[in-house]
Amino acid sequence: MAEIDMNWYKPKPKYHEKFIQWFLLFCAAISIFITLGIIIILGQESLLFFKEVSIVEFLTSTRWQPMIDEFGVWPLLNSTLITSFIAMAVAAPLGLFVAIYLSEYATDKVRGILKPILEILAGIPTVVYGYFALTFMTPLLRLIFGADTVDIYNTASAGLVMGILILPLVTSVTEDALKAVPYSLREASFGLGATKLETSLSVVVPAAFSGIAAAFILGLSRAVGETMIVALAAGAGPNFTFNPFKAAETLTGYIVRISGGDISYNTVDYNSIFALGLLLFLITLTLNIISRRLVRKYQEVYD
Amino acid sequence: MKKALTMVLAALVAATVFAGGQQEGTKADDGKFAWITESEDGVLPGVNPLEVSGDIITAGSSTVFPLSEAMAERFADEGYAFNITVDSIGSGGGFERFCVAGETDIANASRPIKDKERTAAAEIGREPIEFRVGTDALAVTVSSNNTFVKDVTMEELAKIFTSEKWSDVRSSWPNEKILKFIPGTDSGTFDYFVEEVYDKDPSALLGTSDLQMSEDDNILVQGISESPYGIGFFGYAYYVENQSILSVLNIDGVEPNKANVDAAAYPLARPLFIYSDAKIMKSKPQVAAFIAFYLTYVNEEITRVGYFPANESVLAGGKQAWLKAVEGMY
């Protein structure tokens, strides 16, 4: 009797498959280790900083000038928030409307033209945006409001241009959110006699709300971390002011200026940039976590 | 992050040194520099840039930068075929890289080296040698749209950079905010200004309102020129380059110009230096060559750049220091 080989179904061990699997795991692990490394370095160096500076002063004082022992983060944080909110004031409404147009109204042909143009906008180096702010937006603002009102370096100009920078990001994530709304909802709305505009604004947008919110938060987090535009156009000195036409340095702008000047290692000034970096990291991390939560929430509803 | 970068750079430098001795430049068989030619000034050996090989790394003062860059360009024009880096990072940054990190061959400075920087250099086996290359008249400038300030006293100058409004300094001046644009704290120009105007205490200046600081003098130039109520200071060369958009102030009634700098009448005239080390100059003949070239021809370039020649005797002192540093190799 011919013996049946019971092992016929067992695949031969494919070592190259195993290898590829390990290699891919390794690649995924690298990014995790890099993130961990960044957190550790930021934490370590910030610890050195907070050994010398009380965290209470850091978070409550409104003066920042490390050379003369003034360590209140508010002037820097304040201008970061001002530039970011100005950017959002541009990118949020504009992004939402462009996304509604692209997702609900545009024909394939129009979309085929509009989307690549938006993507080009996203591909412009931020240093170019920085000079655009300095040589176009600032003179424009000074023309409108007067050169005495608007400083040559000011947060409004940086914020407005930053809004253009994050517009493609906000648009594309918002559009994805709108597209994810099932077509049946629109059909139901049309069936009840709603116009296209009513459907878009009262049915699709509310249904995609969490996704849109996620897009805005993602845009905000991008704006908080943006460096080149604010370094060039927003000003190079800490200044606690709520007037967007005045020069005021942001968190990222300060880090760039201080690290550009090759200051001595292991001084408080040097360590201060890590503390600021950690703060920035925590802000953007929080924003990103919130936006992920929101995205997951809206995915759950329709999947 | 910067540390990591430095380490990577150090590793790269080490790798290139190990990779081939040609980076170290060439020496003639008799232990003398290979690039020596007929002397120009009767003191230093002449330099034939065509015979000079190996890269040169310099960094430091943004004030000295235009001068060092002009000398480097001339060096290259006359046949030097390798790379010479001139980084504009401030005098303090330049000394940091020369004395602590030990990555550069030459430090450019708009102030003399500090004792603690000498100590740091000694720890990595370097002994900085000072070469005086010229004189700067620190230029206090306002926008060319500013019509009310032409002349200030030293006392007023001190007051301007710590007051909020122009009218606080002189009652006839407008009741407008003073926007200040000054070099960063790492800059030799900042140190010099604090030393001369505030008796070495930077706290009043740093604690003032509407202060913009940058190691990049062009950012200061742009800020001042576009602000009718702005004021700032930097090396004279940056004023010369932007004369059409800036006005320079007279200090105590003295205009910054060659005659007043030579006569030591301008109160904010200050020396400009480059620093190197005897060991570097011996082991890297290209560095010795560049410094000799620099000292020989600096007076032919300095006026065009926008600074003033140092007086003959200090320049000669630098040449003697060069001869002493590389004794036996020329």
Side-chain angles (χ1 to χ4, degrees):
Chain A
M1 201 169 30
E3 218 169 290
I4 301 167
D5 180 4
M6 292 301 285
N7 279 335
W8 65 272
Y9 61 90
K10 257 196 182 167
K12 281 185 195 154
K14 287 179 180 159
Y15 292 109
H16 63 280
E17 284 288 338
K18 268 264 166 9
F19 171 76
I20 285 170
Q21 213 173 29
W22 280 107
F23 177 73
L24 293 178
L25 179 68
F26 172 73
C27 290
I30 283 180
S31 64
I32 293 173
F33 282 127
I34 290 174
T35 313
L36 276 179
I38 290 173
I39 295 172
I40 290 169
I41 295 280
L42 280 178
Q44 267 178 351
E45 303 277 338
S46 312
L47 220 60
L48 290 175
F49 175 76
F50 286 117
K51 258 184 207 160
E52 299 192 32
V53 178
S54 89
I55 199 156
V56 178
E57 187 196 349
F58 183 69
L59 292 177
T60 55
S61 165
T62 56
R63 292 186 58 83
W64 177 270
Q65 201 59 265
M67 276 289 285
I68 49 171
D69 293 329
E70 294 181 328
F71 293 104
V73 75
W74 277 104
L76 302 175
L77 187 56
N78 180 59
S79 57
T80 289
L81 294 177
I82 289 179
T83 48
S84 303
F85 282 116
I86 293 174
M88 285 316 290
V90 174
L94 213 57
L96 178 62
F97 295 140
V98 175
I100 291 175
Y101 177 72
L102 282 176
S103 137
E104 307 300 313
Y105 288 86
T107 59
D108 284 348
K109 202 175 156 196
V110 175
R111 201 189 351 252
I113 298 167
L114 208 57
K115 280 213 91 167
I117 291 177
L118 272 172
E119 275 152 23
I120 288 173
L121 222 50
I124 295 173
T126 54
V127 61
V128 175
Y129 277 114
Y131 279 103
F132 177 70
L134 202 56
T135 57
F136 176 79
M137 195 56 86
T138 302
L140 185 69
L141 288 175
R142 299 186 103 187
L143 197 70
I144 299 171
F145 298 100
D148 287 352
T149 323
V150 184
D151 283 0
I152 166 75
Y153 301 118
N154 65 77
T155 45
S157 162
L160 290 172
V161 173
M162 209 146 77
I164 303 173
L165 170 79
I166 59 174
L167 179 63
L169 175 73
V170 174
T171 306
S172 100
V173 182
T174 305
E175 194 203 345
D176 288 346
L178 296 177
K179 281 238 174 93
V181 175
Y183 208 73
S184 54
L185 281 183
R186 295 184 182 85
E187 282 168 340
S189 172
F190 292 142
L192 288 169
T195 64
K196 201 163 190 178
L197 184 67
E198 284 165 340
T199 306
S200 302
L201 292 182
S202 321
V203 175
V204 181
V205 169
F209 175 75
S210 52
I212 296 169
F216 288 2
I217 292 169
L218 219 59
L220 186 62
S221 121
R222 175 82 176 79
V224 167
E226 170 48 37
T227 306
M228 224 36 226
I229 297 175
V230 290
L232 285 168
N239 185 8
F240 189 65
T241 174
F242 293 99
N243 183 345
F245 293 143
K246 293 283 164 219
E249 192 166 42
T250 65
L251 287 166
T252 48
Y254 177 81
I255 294 175
V256 163
R257 177 165 64 87
I258 291 303
S259 43
D262 271 42
I263 47 163
S264 312
Y265 306 144
N266 300 322
T267 57
V268 178
D269 311 35
Y270 180 71
N271 292 329
S272 75
I273 66 178
F274 287 92
L276 298 177
L278 184 67
L279 180 66
L280 265 176
F281 179 76
L282 291 177
I283 295 172
T284 48
L285 185 71
T286 314
L287 290 174
N288 285 353
I289 289 175
I290 294 173
S291 91
R292 277 190 73 92
R293 286 256 164 97
L294 285 170
V295 169
R296 209 175 302 150
K297 197 173 148 202
Y298 95 90
Q299 277 175 339
E300 274 164 16
V301 175
Y302 299 114
D303 278 354
Chain B
M1 215 167 81
K2 173 148 291 180
K3 271 179 190 162
L5 191 70
T6 315
M7 267 154 58
V8 171
L9 277 176
L12 277 176
V13 169
T16 43
V17 169
F18 284 120
Q22 72 269 37
Q23 279 290 322
E24 286 289 291
T26 44
K27 268 175 239 164
D29 295 337
D30 55 1
K32 298 198 187 306
F33 291 133
W35 44 257
I36 292 178
T37 168
E38 205 176 317
S39 174
E40 274 290 321
D41 56 3
V43 183
L44 293 179
V47 180
N48 177 4
L50 286 165
E51 293 292 326
V52 179
S53 60
D55 294 346
I56 304 168
I57 306 168
T58 81
S61 166
S62 61
T63 309
V64 182
F65 171 77
L67 183 60
S68 284
E69 202 194 25
M71 295 313 300
E73 260 170 37
R74 178 162 174 172
F75 201 41
D77 282 351
E78 295 192 9
Y80 171 68
F82 290 76
N83 286 323
I84 176 159
T85 340
V86 187
D87 283 347
S88 170
I89 58 176
S91 301
F95 283 129
E96 176 82 16
R97 286 179 65 183
F98 183 80
C99 303
V100 180
E103 335 165 299
T104 55
D105 304 320
I106 295 172
N108 299 322
S110 61
R111 59 160 172 82
I113 190 167
K114 292 175 184 167
D115 285 344
K116 69 168 197 246
E117 288 159 344
R118 269 196 194 282
T119 318
E123 275 170 27
I124 61 162
R126 288 184 169 194
E127 200 183 316
I129 304 173
E130 182 177 291
F131 302 98
R132 172 81 178 268
V133 292
T135 305
D136 172 36
L138 184 130
V140 182
T141 66
V142 295
S143 162
S144 54
N145 296 328
N146 179 325
T147 47
F148 57 91
V149 204
K150 297 248 183 290
D151 200 313
V152 292
T153 65
M154 283 293 273
E155 289 78 45
E156 283 173 329
L157 189 63
K159 248 180 129 181
I160 286 173
F161 281 97
T162 51
S163 300
E164 200 193 333
K165 290 182 167 175
W166 285 100
S167 51
D168 299 342
V169 184
R170 218 189 263 183
S171 51
S172 60
W173 284 344
N175 183 24
E176 294 282 351
K177 284 195 167 177
I178 307 172
L179 306 180
K180 301 129 191 144
F181 298 87
I182 70 170
T185 52
D186 220 26
S187 146
T189 310
F190 175 87
D191 285 347
Y192 173 80
F193 192 79
V194 166
E195 199 172 315
E196 288 298 309
V197 181
Y198 297 105
D199 202 16
K200 298 185 182 175
D201 178 14
S203 51
L205 179 57
L206 287 170
T208 190
S209 59
D210 300 300
L211 184 68
Q212 302 281 305
M213 306 177 91
S214 178
E215 302 293 345
D216 183 347
D217 292 308
N218 295 312
I219 289 180
L220 305 177
V221 167
Q222 177 152 25
I224 298 163
S225 66
E226 298 280 342
S227 309
Y229 301 105
I231 186 167
F233 57 86
F234 32 68
Y236 196 75
Y238 289 89
Y239 162 68
V240 171
E241 207 180 311
N242 299 286
Q243 281 183 57
S244 56
I245 50 175
L246 295 174
S247 307
V248 70
L249 304 186
N250 295 350
I251 311 288
D252 284 338
V254 182
E255 192 190 333
N257 59 29
K258 185 167 188 311
N260 288 332
V261 169
D262 285 348
Y266 186 66
L268 296 177
R270 57 178 180 149
L272 303 176
F273 305 103
I274 61 174
Y275 286 80
S276 191
D277 163 83
K279 256 187 262 149
I280 301 174
M281 288 161 66
K282 280 181 187 153
S283 65
K284 293 185 167 180
Q286 69 269 31
V287 176
F290 180 61
I291 296 174
F293 185 85
Y294 205 130
L295 296 174
T296 307
Y297 298 110
V298 65
N299 279 357
E300 293 177 16
E301 301 289 329
I302 196 162
T303 313
R304 183 178 61 81
V305 172
Y307 295 121
F308 309 96
N311 92 36
E312 269 315 315
S313 67
V314 279
L315 211 57
K319 291 178 180 176
Q320 289 305 322
W322 187 95
L323 293 171
K324 195 165 154 254
V326 291
E327 211 166 356
M329 302 188 76
Y330 51 88

